């Protein structure tokens, strides 16, 4: 991507947080009345410093990980497996809440302009999430001017709002307008100020997006990514500080039914076209911010599944080359959270801060270890920046966890704990399965003779099959399957293999024992994987014919179906038996961790005559430790 496109697309999450971050800060301080509100500028300045420190920290991450360095990758590489999983838990909580908070804040922007819709925010919000689900399942991607426009429109709207407000304030000597009378409901103290700091810090959500997407930039990617990140941090600070300055000068306080940004737009623009433009731009950029989670959440699940910490169904791409299963999980989780909290942004913020800054802390801590180990050129500078970012992020995380524990932060912390428990048990199960499937040389039985598939030169009713296919409506299933005695059936066994292990050897042995032609079939996600499988096959002895299909998008079922259909059309005289190794586990909750390939193939191939799909079970011993 060019920088002018990458900036709005990758910054939408971070910049759109200006729509709710300052308001979250003020919503806490206003509880202390006029005395509490007096801390808005000092707390905002502390958050601006935090933005600058974390932004500089992520510049170091881009330098160290020029191929993309998300929190999960950085924490796993430098801190170990468990910290990496905790970072992934924080990230996934962050992405789920990005959707819920962005939609709720977008609805608040809409209802500020159209109060009549305020009673239907939950229903409309769920419909918006459903639209995001449908669009992403169809392969919607963030690219080009279409997705850049809302972010640029929001930047223009907020900068114009601030400029008009400052011009108006200059006419009165920058004298602040008195705010409405406030009644304190709690005392002003360190706890209140720290709660406000933690809530306002949610304006930094999405700041790590550019470091995740370095390969998407035009050459030189890491340099362009760092430049774009610097522009994003500068814009974020300008928009955030400008909004807080206008709140201070205009005497605006949070109130029910209208957002702070809407109140400021009314003060600057009235109720005319610019006000409508500001509210529309805010709603659209928040929708785009919600959509960014649909790129990142499935990717994290893919990485977890690749490392055997999540079910392997999350490795699979859908027909539109999107990680469909991850997209569905994100949508369901976000919708449940949104409905549970009645689409209330203020209620969602405490959960949001925990996940965001947990991931920030572990990512920056991992970078500190990275620089300490490498000690290459400028390592002290990188370590200093990342250490500062790690300490400040940890401070916000601890503050949010303690001060907002009863407000909902407990749920985010509990979610992280449950996630860690589930992912470690999944990894343990896959490790036990790997051990059970490991080949033992003394147990590998080589077929006594090679059993080859029928050659293309062998006689078969190819012409008759072509005539039958060309005669529509005159045939029947019985015409395509005339065999009524064993002697009339000609076999070909196709054994589908994912890799060479004990289960696949059992399936191959079963196929060979039928004393019929056998063909081994393997689907590889890349040429390199195909070569590795071929080398393992040759090492085994190359006793049976092998066909390898390269499927670069990790699709398995579609290439298998296409190949079997091709065999059927080439040799309609054969009865093709597709043999699939099947892992049998004892507990029902383990079944979701393994592919149900046989059922999917059976349903897809059922319309074709003379196709049999069968499985050869391999039982995994029960692990008492799980």
């Amino acid at each position: 991507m060019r920088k002018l496109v990458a900036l709005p697309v990758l910054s939408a999450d971070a910049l759109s947080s200006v729509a709710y971050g300052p308001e979250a800060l003020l919503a806490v301080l206003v509880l202390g009345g006029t005395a509490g509100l007096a801390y808005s500028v000092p707390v905002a300045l502390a958050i601006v410093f935090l933005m600058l420190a974390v932004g500089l920290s992520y510049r170091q991450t881009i330098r160290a990980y020029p191929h993309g360095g998300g929190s999960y990758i950085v924490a796993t590489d430098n801190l170990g497996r468990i910290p990496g999983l905790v970072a992934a838990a924080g990230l996934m909580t962050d992405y789920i809440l990005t959707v819920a908070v962005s939609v709720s804040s977008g609805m608040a922007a809409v209802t500020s302009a159209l109060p009549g819709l305020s009673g239907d925010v939950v229903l409309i919000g769920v419909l918006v999430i459903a639209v995001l689900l449908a669009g992403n399942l169809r392969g919607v991607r963030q690219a080009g001017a279409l997705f850049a426009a809302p972010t640029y429109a929001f930047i223009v709207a907020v900068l114009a709002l601030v400029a008009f407000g400052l011009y108006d304030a200059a006419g009165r000597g920058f004298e602040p307008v008195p705010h409405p009378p406030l009644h304190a409901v709690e005392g002003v103290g360190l706890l209140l100020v720290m709660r406000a700091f933690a809530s306002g810090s949610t304006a930094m959500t999405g700041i790590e997006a550019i470091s995740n997407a370095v390969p998407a930039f035009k050459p030189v990617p890491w340099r362009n990514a760092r430049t774009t990140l610097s522009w994003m941090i500068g814009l974020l600070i300008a928009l955030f500080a400008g909004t807080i300055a206008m709140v201070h000068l205009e005497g605006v306080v949070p109130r029910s039914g209208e957002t702070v940004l809407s109140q400021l737009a009314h003060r600057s623009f009235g109720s005319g076209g610019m006000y409508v433009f500001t509210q529309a731009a805010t709603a659209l950029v928040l929708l785009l911010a919600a959509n960014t989670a649909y790129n990142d959440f499935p990717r994290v699940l893919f990485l977890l599944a690749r490392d055997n910490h999540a079910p392997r169904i999350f490795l699979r791409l859908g027909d539109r080359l999107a990680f469909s299963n991850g997209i569905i999980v994100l949508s369901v989780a976000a919708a449940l959270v949104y409905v549970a909290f009645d689409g209330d942004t203020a209620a969602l913020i405490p959960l949001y801060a925990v996940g965001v800054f947990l991931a920030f802390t572990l990512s920056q801590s991992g970078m500190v270890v990275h620089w300490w180990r490498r000690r290459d050129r400028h390592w002290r500078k990188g370590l200093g920046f990342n250490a500062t970012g790690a300490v400040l992020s940890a401070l916000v995380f601890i503050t949010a966890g303690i001060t907002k524990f009863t407000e909902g932060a407990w749920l985010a912390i509990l979610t992280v704990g449950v996630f860690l428990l589930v992912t470690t048990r999944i990894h343990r199960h896959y490790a036990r399965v790997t051990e059970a499937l490991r080949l033992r040389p003394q147990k590998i039985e080589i077929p006594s003779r090679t059993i080859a598939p029928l050659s293309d030169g062998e006689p078969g009713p190819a012409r008759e099959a072509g005539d039958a296919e060309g005669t529509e409506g005159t045939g029947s299933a019985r015409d395509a399957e005339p065999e009524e005695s064993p002697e009339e059936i000609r076999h070909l066994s196709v054994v589908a293999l994912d890799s060479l292990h004990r289960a696949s050897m059992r399936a191959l042995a079963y196929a060979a024992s039928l004393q019929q032609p056998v063909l081994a079939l393997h689907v590889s996600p890349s040429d390199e994987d195909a070569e590795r499988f071929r080398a393992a096959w040759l090492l085994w002895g190359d006793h049976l014919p092998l066909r390898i299909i390269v499927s670069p998008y990790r699709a398995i079922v579609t290439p298998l179906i296409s190949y079997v259909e091709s065999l059927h059309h080439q040799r309609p005289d054969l009865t093709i038996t597709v043999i699939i190794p099947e892992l049998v586990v004892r507990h029902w909750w383990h079944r979701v961790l393994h592919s149900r390939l046989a059922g999917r193939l059976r349903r897809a191939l059922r319309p074709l005559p003379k196709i049999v799909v069968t499985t050869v079970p391999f039982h995994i011993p029960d692990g008492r430790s799980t």
Side-chain angles (χ1 to χ4, degrees), residues 37-257:
L37 208 57
Y39 285 92
S40 61
V41 173
V43 172
L45 288 175
I47 293 173
V48 166
F49 178 75
L50 179 63
M51 290 175 177
L52 186 61
V54 174
L56 289 172
S57 297
Y58 272 104
R59 279 178 56 89
Q60 312 313 310
T61 302
I62 291 172
R63 178 160 69 95
Y65 285 84
H67 300 295
S71 297
Y72 172 66
I73 294 174
V74 173
T76 302
D77 285 353
N78 299 288
L79 301 177
R81 184 169 64 91
I82 297 301
L85 289 175
V86 175
L91 275 178
M92 295 176 73
T93 303
D94 176 16
Y95 295 141
I96 291 169
L97 287 164
T98 291
V99 177
V101 171
S102 296
V103 171
S104 67
S105 189
M107 289 306 306
V110 171
T111 55
S112 294
L114 301 171
L117 296 176
S118 57
D120 300 316
V121 291
V122 175
L123 176 60
I124 297 173
V126 171
L127 291 176
V128 169
I129 294 174
V131 170
L132 290 171
L133 168 63
N136 281 278
L137 286 177
R138 291 185 62 82
V140 169
R141 286 290 179 270
Q142 293 173 316
L146 178 64
F147 291 100
T151 307
Y152 280 130
F154 180 72
I155 293 171
V156 169
V158 176
L159 290 179
L161 181 153
V162 172
F164 273 81
L166 290 176
Y167 178 80
D168 183 60
R172 60 176 188 270
F174 293 101
E175 184 69 25
V177 175
H179 56 70
L182 297 174
H183 302 287
V185 296
E186 63 178 271
V188 178
L190 180 62
L191 185 63
L192 183 73
V193 172
M194 294 304 289
R195 281 168 55 201
F197 176 67
S199 293
S201 295
T202 55
M204 295 174 53
T205 59
I207 206 170
E208 80 289 349
I210 292 175
S211 68
N212 293 338
V214 177
F217 284 84
K218 285 190 172 182
V220 179
W222 69 268
R223 185 174 291 120
N224 288 328
R226 281 168 61 110
T227 302
T228 305
L229 177 63
S230 299
W231 274 102
M232 183 188 77
I233 296 300
L235 282 169
L236 179 60
I237 290 174
L239 297 180
F240 179 83
T243 301
I244 291 294
M246 291 311 305
V247 166
H248 177 69
L249 290 171
E250 296 294 336
V252 169
V253 296
R255 72 184 187 203
S256 177

Side-chain angles (χ1 to χ4, degrees), residues 357-528:
F357 284 95
L358 176 59
F360 282 0
T361 301
L362 289 169
S363 174
Q364 298 310 304
S365 299
M367 287 305 304
V368 170
V369 175
H370 170 85
W371 295 123
W372 181 258
R373 288 174 176 170
R374 295 286 297 273
R375 303 195 187 193
D376 52 7
R377 189 166 176 261
H378 301 310
W379 71 271
R380 287 185 176 87
K381 181 181 73 172
L383 188 148
F385 281 131
N386 287 125
T388 303
V391 170
L392 293 176
S393 297
L395 177 64
V396 179
F397 168 68
I398 294 170
T399 300
I402 294 174
T403 63
K404 295 181 175 295
F405 187 81
T406 58
E407 298 177 31
W410 67 269
L411 181 58
I413 295 171
L414 178 63
T415 301
V416 171
V418 171
F419 177 88
L420 188 60
L421 175 65
V422 171
T423 51
T424 52
R425 289 176 71 89
I426 288 174
H427 188 270
R428 193 182 307 168
H429 171 75
Y430 280 136
R432 193 174 72 252
V433 170
T434 300
E435 177 60 29
L437 292 176
R438 181 174 289 116
L439 288 174
R440 294 166 175 79
Q442 68 274 17
K443 292 189 176 181
I444 299 178
E445 296 183 4
I446 299 174
S448 57
R449 63 187 183 87
T450 296
I451 305 174
L454 298 177
S455 66
D456 293 337
E458 291 194 23
R463 183 179 301 276
E464 295 175 15
D467 294 341
E469 289 177 3
T471 309
E472 188 174 339
T474 60
S476 66
R478 186 174 180 83
D479 297 328
E481 299 169 310
E483 300 90 346
E484 296 182 356
S485 64
E487 294 77 12
E488 295 178 278
I489 297 178
R490 305 186 68 190
H491 285 282
L492 172 63
S493 295
V494 177
V495 185
L497 305 174
D498 59 341
S499 62
L500 285 180
H501 46 60
R502 292 181 65 195
S504 59
M505 287 298 164
R506 179 171 171 78
L508 287 170
Y510 171 80
S513 71
L514 301 177
Q515 298 297 307
Q516 298 292 337
V518 178
L519 174 67
L521 181 62
H522 173 69
V523 179
S524 287
S526 65
D527 291 327
E528 294 78 10

